[in-house]
Amino acid sequence: MNVERTLIIFKPDTLQRQLVGRILARFEDKGLRLVGLKLQQSARSQVERHYEVHKGKPFYDALVGFMTSGPVIVAVLEGPQAIDVVRNLLGPTNGRKAPPGTIRGDFGLDVQYNLVHASDGPDTAEKEIALFFRLDELVSYQRVTDRWIVSE
Ligand code: IDP
Ligand code: MG
């Protein structure tokens, strides 16, 4: 099985709305393994690098302001095809269009305040993990439940 790592960010709205525990539970329930986790107030320069691809778009300045407006939690999740699995758990960017059952569909009504970021491909996942975590902040381990979560 293609075990991948993906970066997620609990955006400031998730912390302000006290939804961290409930949303983190969605990822745990799915069987994904946490390999990195920290609370931080992001520096503007880090957020600008993270959202570099959106530079110049009409929502870019507001997005950088939002992502630096309060603490976030950054995490790395691991599992088979974790990048696509996590994007599917989040649903589409706009909370009004995201279907019920997805995190954005269940918790949000907004396009900017959409609760969680997740990497969208293997290259971005690698870059984003390196942007937010040092290697020694990531922990490789097995859980006793792993053999009941993935058969292959
Ligand atoms: P994604 O998070 O679903 O990958 P992107 O298109 O990469 O969505 O946009 C990055 C972030 O920028 C979104 O998660 C959202 O917070 C914000 N954003 C995207 N499009 C808009 C918009 O049209 N208006 C305001 N904010 C937006
Ligand atoms: Mg994106």
Side-chain angles (χ1 to χ4, degrees):
M1 224 347 112
N2 181 22
V3 175
E4 294 175 341
R5 288 181 172 186
T6 188
L7 180 93
I8 63 167
I9 305 175
F10 294 84
K11 299 185 182 187
D13 53 332
T14 296
L15 280 91
Q16 295 299 325
R17 293 178 56 199
Q18 299 167 241
L19 291 171
V20 173
R22 289 166 71 190
I23 296 178
L24 186 58
R26 299 280 193 119
F27 299 118
E28 285 194 310
D29 287 350
K30 184 69 177 169
L32 293 157
R33 188 161 50 201
L34 262 177
V35 298
L37 185 72
K38 64 183 171 187
L39 175 81
Q40 65 172 42
Q41 168 64 53
S42 305
R44 198 179 173 82
S45 57
Q46 189 180 40
V47 171
E48 284 174 350
R49 268 183 70 191
H50 175 67
Y51 280 126
E52 217 162 35
V53 292
H54 296 305
K55 203 173 163 123
K57 292 186 187 166
F59 61 83
Y60 176 79
D61 289 343
L63 177 61
V64 173
F66 164 49
M67 292 299 288
T68 53
S69 67
V72 300
I73 289 174
V74 287
V76 178
L77 294 171
E78 186 175 73
Q81 295 171 356
I83 296 166
D84 277 354
V85 165
V86 170
R87 291 285 294 190
N88 288 333
L89 288 176
L90 290 194
T93 307
N94 185 340
R96 295 191 292 280
K97 300 205 172 126
T102 64
I103 291 166
R104 287 164 169 177
D106 286 351
F107 292 104
L109 274 174
D110 197 67
V111 61
Q112 176 174 253
Y113 295 164
N114 60 6
L115 302 140
V116 181
H117 163 84
S119 308
D120 64 5
D123 296 346
T124 47
E126 199 182 318
K127 266 192 227 153
E128 290 174 1
I129 291 168
L131 181 60
F132 287 94
F133 285 92
R134 298 191 316 263
L135 265 184
D136 67 356
E137 292 178 314
L138 301 175
V139 182
S140 296
Y141 62 103
Q142 299 291 312
R143 299 169 301 190
V144 290
T145 48
D146 281 341
R147 68 193 188 90
W148 293 104
I149 293 171
V150 179
S151 65
E152 303 104 300

